[in-house]
Amino acid sequence: DLKMKRTHPVLRNRHHTSSFHCWLCLVVVLFSVTKTSGNTVTNCTQGTFANENGTCVGCPAGKYQPTIGQTRCWNCDAGRTSNSSSAACSSCHGGKYAPNIGEPFCIDCKPGKFSTSGSTTCTECMLGYYEPNNGSTVCQWCPNNFMSSRGSAYCDQAIVGYYVLETSTNNFDINECPNGAECHGGYQLPIPKKGYWSDRSKSEYLAFPYNCQRKTCMGNKTNSYCWTQNSIDKSSSSSSENDGCFQTDNELLCSEGARGPLCSSCMKQYAYSSNEMKCIKCTSTSILILNSILL
């Protein structure tokens, strides 16, 4: 009975032995869990993990671990990142982005682009906007009469009726189109109208079209690219390359057979006709008439 179990020495020792074994098992289990339990190390804090040696190591930048006692860290999502030994990831600030998971840091948006918080990519500035700086959260509106392409770092173009000259690196002046010329906007400089002639030796000279006295000035006839600052400055330099604009000033500005400033001279095999006020090609008949006049 119960009284015998409490007083009998054999039964009493048997009870103590069983209790000792249970406590021993509990200590072993606790020690095992503390050391390692199914790839879990309980003494590694948040933001750390247990390496192969069982040592707690901080998570590298771009990774995190929110739970204690883990053997690995997790990648931050795209658009987010973390410092080393982090328990959580944070969104990239505006003006920065993280394109992939596990990025160790957020990247600045380049000029001509912007981003909002938590971005995985940067957005190009819209037409008519620009941004010259890295790491921007917004783009700026172009000043009056200026224009820009999508994704521009500068407002380096003009609206119709105006033209832009780059006075120094990335510094631009806006000008109203002069009389006697057409300004189509964008990168184009003033293009002389029919009856006008422009000096193309320097881009700034195009602001002063000359009114021709003869009907030999045709204005621009072809290839509008030849009227950009880049093309004119290259054609007037010693460089042999001209970015695809190979027409001479005579071909661009003068009627057939005319050449020179204001298209006022005639080429060989051409003669000026005062009646038609332009250069006409010489024929055998015109030569006979000329000879008879000389005789």
Side-chain angles (χ1 to χ4, degrees), residues 5 25 38 71 83 114 145 188 205 212 214 244 247 252 276 279:
K5 290 180 179 180
C25 290
T71 59
N83 296 323
F114 72 99
N145 304 321
Q188 284 190 352
Y205 293 166
C212 298
R214 298 180 175 185
Q247 284 96 336
L252 286 170
E276 299 186 35
C279 298

Side-chain angles (χ1 to χ4, degrees), residues 22-272:
C22 289
W23 279 106
L24 182 61
C25 290
L26 180 60
V27 170
V28 172
V29 169
L30 288 175
F31 177 79
S32 177
V33 170
T34 302
K35 181 65 178 174
T36 177
S37 176
N39 295 328
T40 300
V41 178
T42 57
N43 61 343
C44 289
T45 60
Q46 291 178 321
T48 67
F49 71 102
N51 62 16
E52 296 178 352
N53 298 324
T55 303
C56 295
V57 180
C59 295
K63 297 178 182 290
Y64 73 106
Q65 180 49 257
T67 308
I68 63 173
Q70 299 299 312
T71 59
R72 58 175 296 186
C73 298
W74 310 105
N75 285 321
C76 292
D77 292 335
R80 299 170 66 85
T81 190
S82 67
N83 296 323
S84 58
S85 303
S86 292
C89 301
S90 57
S91 296
C92 294
H93 295 304
K96 298 176 180 290
Y97 72 106
N100 305 306
I101 63 172
E103 290 285 359
F105 54 86
C106 297
I107 307 168
D108 280 340
C109 291
K110 293 182 179 180
K113 297 183 179 182
F114 72 99
S115 74
T116 55
S117 176
S119 293
T120 60
T121 186
C122 296
T123 303
E124 290 184 333
C125 296
M126 295 188 298
L127 187 73
Y129 288 81
Y130 75 108
E131 180 48 57
N133 302 311
N134 289 311
S136 295
T137 58
V138 293
C139 294
Q140 306 175 52
W141 176 252
C142 285
N144 288 341
N145 304 321
F146 278 98
M147 181 51 65
S148 68
S149 301
R150 187 177 180 87
S152 292
Y154 303 97
C155 293
D156 55 356
Q157 301 177 53
I159 63 172
V160 175
Y162 290 80
Y163 69 97
V164 167
L165 279 176
E166 186 175 13
T167 56
S168 59
T169 304
N170 297 328
N171 288 311
F172 305 91
D173 282 347
I174 190 77
N175 303 276
E176 191 172 3
C177 198
N179 292 328
E182 298 175 347
C183 296
H184 302 296
Y187 294 108
Q188 284 190 352
L189 298 177
I191 301 174
K193 296 178 180 179
K194 187 174 182 178
Y196 288 83
W197 179 90
S198 293
D199 183 355
R200 285 170 38 85
S201 60
K202 287 188 178 180
S203 54
E204 54 263 35
Y205 293 166
L206 297 181
F208 308 101
Y210 294 92
N211 189 0
C212 298
Q213 299 303 311
R214 298 180 175 185
K215 294 182 180 180
T216 51
C217 297
M218 302 303 295
N220 179 53
K221 296 187 294 182
T222 183
N223 201 344
S224 59
Y225 178 78
C226 295
W227 296 93
T228 64
Q229 185 173 3
N230 185 51
S231 176
I232 290 174
D233 289 345
K234 281 196 172 184
S235 64
S236 61
S237 69
S238 59
S239 174
S240 60
E241 295 188 11
N242 199 6
D243 282 353
C245 183
F246 298 105
Q247 284 96 336
T248 65
D249 289 354
N250 296 333
E251 293 173 314
L252 286 170
L253 297 170
C254 301
S255 62
E256 182 184 354
R259 64 182 180 86
L262 281 76
C263 304
S264 58
S265 301
C266 294
M267 298 178 182
K268 290 182 179 180
Q269 303 299 321
Y270 285 84
Y272 179 71

Side-chain angles (χ1 to χ4, degrees), residues 269-286:
Q269 303 299 321
Y270 285 84
Y272 179 71
S273 169
S274 57
N275 291 331
E276 299 186 35
M277 298 184 67
K278 64 179 183 179
C279 298
I280 59 174
K281 192 168 186 178
C282 297
T283 62
S284 56
T285 303
S286 62

